[in-house]
Amino acid sequence: MTGAAAERGAGAGARTWVLDSVTLAARIALGAVFVWASWFKIADPVEFAVNIATYQILPESLVNLMAITLPWLELGAGVLIVAGALARESAIAIGGMLVVFLAAILVAMGKHLEISCGCFASEDAASDIGWPKVIEDSAMLAAAAWIAARGGGILSVDALIERIRGKNGRLSTRPGQEGKQEGKEQGT
């Protein structure tokens, strides 16, 4: 390998390390926000139902269903994205939730409602809807899009599974059996 090629190789490794570090930071930050937000909503679904109702978007018949199911979706997606398990899928799910949250905030702003966002369903963690909340959710949406595009990165369950699968695309059930099929080497 020539000196220039070695430098390119080292530069690519450093770039990959930086991109994987950004991806890991995005996964942890995004997942932590969603896990933390779900905690308050799971603990007090009645308060969360009131927060949902104040947006005046959903019919009353769906408010309780949303208050009970959404926090569990947030918790699941948050835990998965922190671990990097199904990272792309989790990022897409979180991105979808953020699009809905952004739409709800913008509709409420259009109606000139002065309400708490309901993000954490807690008086202490409440913040009013408005442009700062739109910017915050948009930044999280960008992080979700980043993860959806790049995957979980090298420090993820997804990457671990790919390394275990090896070259043949199947999980090896026995150590040292990568590339072997029913006791015979492939291609013989």
Side-chain angles (χ1 to χ4, degrees):
M1 183 180 280
T2 66
E7 284 181 29
R8 280 194 304 274
R15 185 176 63 242
T16 299
W17 182 86
V18 169
L19 293 175
D20 280 339
S21 297
V22 169
T23 302
L24 177 62
R27 280 186 14 233
I28 291 170
L30 195 57
V33 167
F34 271 73
V35 168
W36 183 37
S38 73
W39 179 257
F40 294 103
K41 296 169 190 171
I42 290 168
D44 193 354
V46 173
E47 178 67 23
F48 183 46
V50 170
N51 285 332
I52 292 171
T54 60
Y55 277 88
Q56 302 171 9
I57 296 173
L58 286 179
E60 287 183 35
S61 60
L62 294 179
V63 169
N64 287 338
L65 178 64
M66 184 63 70
I68 292 169
T69 57
L70 181 61
W72 291 101
L73 293 173
E74 291 176 330
L75 177 64
V79 167
L80 286 172
I81 207 161
V82 167
L86 300 172
R88 283 191 165 100
E89 294 83 350
S90 301
I92 290 167
I94 287 174
M97 286 185 265
L98 285 164
V99 167
V100 171
F101 300 161
L102 281 163
I105 290 167
L106 291 169
V107 166
M109 288 171 59
K111 292 180 179 180
H112 303 288
L113 298 177
E114 294 184 22
I115 59 175
S116 166
C117 72
C119 304
F120 297 96
S122 165
E123 294 282 333
D124 299 333
S127 61
D128 292 337
I129 61 165
W131 290 112
K133 185 54 68 179
V134 169
I135 292 168
E136 178 184 316
D137 283 5
S138 296
M140 288 192 288
L141 182 58
W146 171 270
I147 297 164
R150 282 199 45 82
I154 195 157
L155 295 174
S156 68
V157 171
D158 292 342
L160 177 63
I161 290 170
E162 285 301 313
R163 284 193 297 275
I164 291 171
R165 280 189 175 152
K167 294 179 182 179
N168 65 4
R170 288 179 288 179
L171 288 174
S172 173
T173 56
R174 295 180 292 186
Q177 296 300 311
E178 298 84 12
K180 294 184 179 177
Q181 193 174 28
E182 297 179 17
K184 297 180 182 180
E185 288 193 35
Q186 292 180 353
T188 59

